[in-house]
Amino acid sequence: MTDGKAGATRRRLAQELAVVAGFEDPRAPLEQYHTPPDLAAHIVHVADLQDDIEGRTVVDLGCGTGMLALGAALRGPNRVVGVDIDPAPLSTARENEGRVGAMTDVSWVRADATRAPLCPDEDVTVLMNPPFGAQTGSEGADRAFLETAAEVAAVSYSVHNAGSEEFVEAFAEDNAGEVTHAFAAEFEIPRQFDHHSEESQHIDTEVFRIEWT
């Protein structure tokens, strides 16, 4: 696929995901931020180009209102599972499924994504935007999500704070994984919690593709 066609396909996916509603009452301890449609489209598009979605089971750990799960559902997987501990965003995710109109059904599971009740017997692709561990008491929260990915996935895509490359690569190496792709991405966070002082903030993030064995 040429760069022009790839870019157009990614932009079209971002437009389709623009209807996905965010959190009605986001919880700061869970770092519930709406994944931007452009970022979700970029991740799903890269996964699609790597043949990591079509015909496979895709799991979104900490799915929130379903942005990554629904993006994957538009790219021909066998099935999609969204896992989140909070029932409120799962309810919104079900509504978003109707808005997006994906042909693939999505199972929305209320569970702790770091102890996901999954026993897959086929290759699984995990897509996730885990908590970065920015809140006091939640430091290293993304590690627990990576541990789950290492247990259930053949390949995973995850979003982390910029500067996480050394940590992610070391974790992958220690858990029979290998980082095969990494790319920078900007994440816009709107003002939604009391500790936010600006209307919106852009933070630099990195996305990593890991193959697990």
Side-chain angles (χ1 to χ4, degrees), residues 31 129-134 138-142 159-161 187 189 203 205:
E31 295 188 38
N129 177 20
F132 295 159
S138 65
E139 295 84 353
D142 51 353
V159 185
H160 301 264
N161 261 329
F187 198 125
I189 296 178
I203 62 173
T205 64

Side-chain angles (χ1 to χ4, degrees), residues 7-53:
T9 301
R10 188 171 65 247
R11 286 192 297 272
R12 185 167 63 251
L13 179 58
Q15 291 169 354
E16 291 175 305
L17 293 175
V19 301
V20 174
F23 296 90
E24 291 187 6
D25 187 20
R27 297 169 59 185
L30 296 179
E31 295 188 38
Q32 291 179 329
Y33 297 107
H34 185 58
T35 304
D38 287 344
L39 175 56
H42 193 174
I43 294 170
V44 170
H45 185 65
V46 172
D48 196 23
L49 291 177
Q50 296 298 315
D51 295 324
D52 290 331
I53 292 183

Side-chain angles (χ1 to χ4, degrees), residues 87-173:
L90 286 176
S91 178
T92 303
R94 293 185 184 94
E95 296 172 0
N96 283 331
E97 185 179 355
R99 294 186 182 101
V100 169
M103 299 300 294
T104 302
D105 288 334
V106 184
S107 298
W108 305 105
V109 178
R110 183 186 179 187
D112 184 346
T114 65
R115 297 177 176 83
L118 303 171
C119 297
D121 56 4
E122 71 273 273
D123 283 346
V124 167
T125 295
V126 162
L127 306 179
M128 60 182 181
N129 177 20
F132 295 159
Q135 301 296 316
T136 301
S138 65
E139 295 84 353
D142 51 353
R143 174 184 289 274
F145 280 73
L146 284 173
E147 289 172 350
T148 301
E151 292 176 0
V152 305
V155 61
S156 68
Y157 292 77
S158 53
V159 185
H160 301 264
N161 261 329
S164 298
E165 182 175 1
E166 184 176 352
F167 154 65
V168 173
E169 288 185 342
F171 181 91
E173 184 177 348

